[in-house]
Amino acid sequence: QVQLVESGGGLVQPGESLKLSCLASGSILGVYTMRWYRQAPGQERELVAGIRRGGVTNYAYSVKGRFTISRDDAKKTVYLQMNTLKPQDTAVYYCCADIVSPYGLESPSEYWGQGTQVTVFS
């Protein structure tokens, strides 16, 4: 019984900013790597950013310098600050987390949120 819920998506103009949040809830023993993906219409899913338990991050080349991923382990939440948004950033954004549950297997399992729409237009 683990759930991820994203929020913060919306419609913005080029150059504006959005901050996405993803809250993990349920019976959780530990949250390991957390990631943000996105998928544009007719395209494959793309890894946008990831953050490990120790805070080490990685980003897709297309968002480096514009997006920042962070996490608050006390709140079991991962964030994605998106600045200087471009039309090509338009996509459904999904969060994904490797989570250990007391009712599941011993090793971490992947859990996904439902996605939140980000649209950048002029």
Side-chain angles (χ1 to χ4, degrees):
Q1 184 64 21
V2 175
Q3 185 178 22
L4 301 181
V5 179
E6 299 112 330
S7 61
L11 281 66
V12 297
Q13 295 184 341
E16 295 183 341
S17 299
L18 283 174
K19 187 174 184 177
L20 306 182
S21 300
C22 177
L23 171 66
S25 62
S27 299
I28 298 173
L29 289 179
V31 180
Y32 293 83
T33 300
M34 307 182 80
R35 306 174 182 87
W36 286 98
Y37 290 85
R38 67 186 182 187
Q39 187 167 21
Q43 301 184 20
E44 294 185 349
R45 183 187 63 188
E46 173 191 19
L47 176 63
V48 177
I51 183 168
R52 304 174 188 172
R53 295 184 73 185
V56 177
T57 60
N58 65 285
Y59 298 91
Y61 180 81
S62 60
V63 307
K64 285 183 178 179
R66 299 189 298 120
F67 291 11
T68 302
I69 188 172
S70 61
R71 64 191 291 165
D72 185 334
D73 288 333
K75 298 181 179 180
K76 296 184 177 63
T77 300
V78 61
Y79 306 95
L80 185 67
Q81 177 67 50
M82 305 184 294
N83 297 327
T84 318
L85 283 162
K86 304 175 180 180
Q88 52 264 49
D89 295 320
T90 296
V92 177
Y93 284 71
Y94 301 90
C95 68
C96 173
D98 299 330
I99 294 174
V100 174
S101 170
Y103 306 113
L105 300 176
E106 297 177 355
S107 59
S109 298
E110 280 192 349
Y111 293 87
W112 290 79
Q114 79 288 347
T116 184
Q117 177 71 49
V118 173
T119 302
V120 185
F121 67 98
S122 300

